[in-house]
Amino acid sequence: MGAINWLAVLLAPGLAAAIGRVWYGPLFGGLPPFAFMQTDRRPDAGPVRDAIAGLFLLAFPALMLGHSLARIGAETLAVKPWLYWMQSGGVALFFVIPAVWINQARHGVTLREALVDAGFWLVAYLAMGTVFWTLG
């Protein structure tokens, strides 16, 4: 196993969060994906706390992506750079999006909202893969 790219692990969540701000702002509107802390029961929560929570939660998939890419190894990634996006996009397509859709089905989320969320997660994960590729 190669070394984990810790700089990419630190920067990838920031890029994914920035994409979320644009995705759920000017592009598609609505609440950002980490607005879960703003509830009637938690009036003290706000955008700064949501941003910190979002970065914290996005750090976990960035760490796991860094680990899986380290397992592949720098030599293999150098000759097969598409593996950055196969790993990151594959996790989004085959783990994250189905899990989100199952959860959303329980709450009666509209198809449009489900597709917007799925698009965000795919783009966010591919962006994290791009951070690893850029810094690899």
Side-chain angles (χ1 to χ4, degrees), residues 12 65 69 81 84-85 88-89 123-134:
L65 180 59
L69 294 170
Y84 287 101
W85 299 283
S88 59
V123 170
Y125 270 74
L126 290 172
M128 286 195 281
T130 301
V131 170
F132 280 91
W133 171 71
T134 302

Side-chain angles (χ1 to χ4, degrees), residues 42-76:
R42 303 252 348 242
D44 60 327
V48 173
R49 184 175 253 167
D50 285 349
I52 292 168
L55 286 170
F56 177 74
L57 292 172
L58 285 166
F60 291 110
L63 178 60
M64 291 312 299
L65 180 59
H67 173 73
S68 70
L69 294 170
R71 296 283 299 162
I72 292 170
E75 301 80 23
T76 302

